[in-house]
Amino acid sequence: VQIDFIDKGLFGEDKNNAYAETIVKTLHNLEKDYALGDVCILVRSKKDGAAIAENLTAQSIDIMTSESLLLCNATKVNFTINFLSYLSQENNKKALADALIFLHEHLKITIQIHDFISLFLVLSKKEMFAKLKEFDIDFSDDQFNEMSLYQSVAYLIRNFKLVEKSDAFIQFFLDEVLKFEQQNKGGISHFLAYFESNKSALSIVSPKNKHAV
């Protein structure tokens, strides 16, 4: 039996990364005597499982679990959906607030999260985009609206710096956007409705081999 502890004082993405690094190190040590298919990772909640799944797939470690592979359980996909919801319906303050909670952690904002959210909730779209430049986020609503569905979503993902390294969840999400667009099913509001109706089935492809955790 081996028990490892991560450093105290870590929260959010830093804590998830610390857990992931410990798990990856342990998996590499186990590979000498066990196949990855013999390993099971237990988590306290679906949220924890999704966070670990995101980190392991980024490390090119195959995983096999239905819920952790769902696109709707990936934090960056959720942010994208929430921000798209706000862009398509400006009075959807809940979607904006949820997006801001992610951004506070993602951008490592130093001000208190409540103050950060309150600061943006009272702003118009134009004012918000101008304010985001102070946090090194350059996003043009006009440019966004001139693009096709796929191009606009890719623009959002790129300009909010969601993919600094390989991310299977974002890639599969973009694949879904492209497939939706190619079938001429409509714009952003139609895609959001499609995603909401099908989110329990949309996932990254699970590896069908014995070398997956």
Side-chain angles (χ1 to χ4, degrees), residues 96-106 113 116-117:
L96 176 58
D98 288 339
L100 290 170
I101 291 172
F102 169 85
L103 282 182
H104 184 270
E105 182 177 313
H106 178 64
I113 186 169
F116 178 72
I117 294 173

Side-chain angles (χ1 to χ4, degrees), residues 122-140:
V122 298
L123 301 179
S124 66
K125 275 187 185 179
K126 184 176 181 180
E127 292 170 333
M128 183 184 69
F129 296 139
K131 191 69 177 176
L132 281 171
K133 290 183 178 180
E134 298 179 15
F135 300 94
D136 200 28
I137 297 295
D138 187 8
F139 187 92
S140 168

